[in-house]
């Protein structure tokens, strides 16, 4: 029966009139060490986004990205990271309708705090 293959969203539509859609995934995600186990993550602004959510994944140690924080702007300082550990950093754009899929990852290795001479 072909009707079982038609989902309800095809029949009724996904968006209500006047409702805003979920934003697209952020692009141009960059991450750089700013010392002392901290990184600065930035991405391009995304239409429809009201805030951004950022995730970290320690290479080979975590099976999935872990929520690290959110920001009303497309940038965030993430701290308490292990110096010398390679991390993959992801961003998502969000609004009241939901959260985008995760961005492509940026890779960064946080530096340790510089020693005084």
């Amino acid at each position: 029966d072909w009707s079982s293959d038609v989902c309800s969203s095809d029949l009724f539509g996904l968006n209500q009139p006047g409702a805003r859609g979920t934003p697209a995934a952020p692009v141009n995600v960059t991450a750089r060490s700013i010392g002392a186990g901290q990184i600065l993550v930035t991405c391009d602004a995304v239409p429809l986004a009201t805030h951004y959510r950022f995730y970290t994944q320690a290479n080979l140690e975590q099976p999935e990205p872990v929520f690290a924080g959110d920001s009303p702007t497309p940038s965030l300082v993430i701290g308490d990271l292990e110096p010398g550990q390679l991390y993959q950093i992801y961003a998502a754009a969000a609004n009241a309708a939901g959260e985008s899929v995760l961005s492509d990852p940026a890779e960064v290795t946080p530096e340790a705090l510089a020693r005084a001479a």
Side-chain angles (χ1 to χ4, degrees), residues 31-109:
R32 66 179 175 90
S33 178
I34 56 175
Q38 292 186 325
I39 60 171
L40 172 63
V41 184
T42 61
C43 62
D44 289 353
V46 176
L48 302 181
T50 58
H51 61 283
Y52 298 83
R53 297 173 55 87
F54 297 91
Y55 298 83
T56 62
Q57 185 173 17
N59 200 25
L60 303 176
E61 293 183 15
Q62 294 172 321
E64 295 182 11
V66 175
F67 177 71
D70 59 6
S71 172
T73 64
S75 66
L76 182 71
V77 172
I78 300 173
D80 297 325
L81 299 174
E82 183 180 334
Q85 170 69 53
L86 176 65
Y87 288 89
Q88 293 182 318
I89 310 299
Y90 300 86
N95 63 20
E99 183 175 321
S100 73
V101 297
L102 295 181
S103 66
D104 289 335
E107 290 190 343
V108 64
T109 302

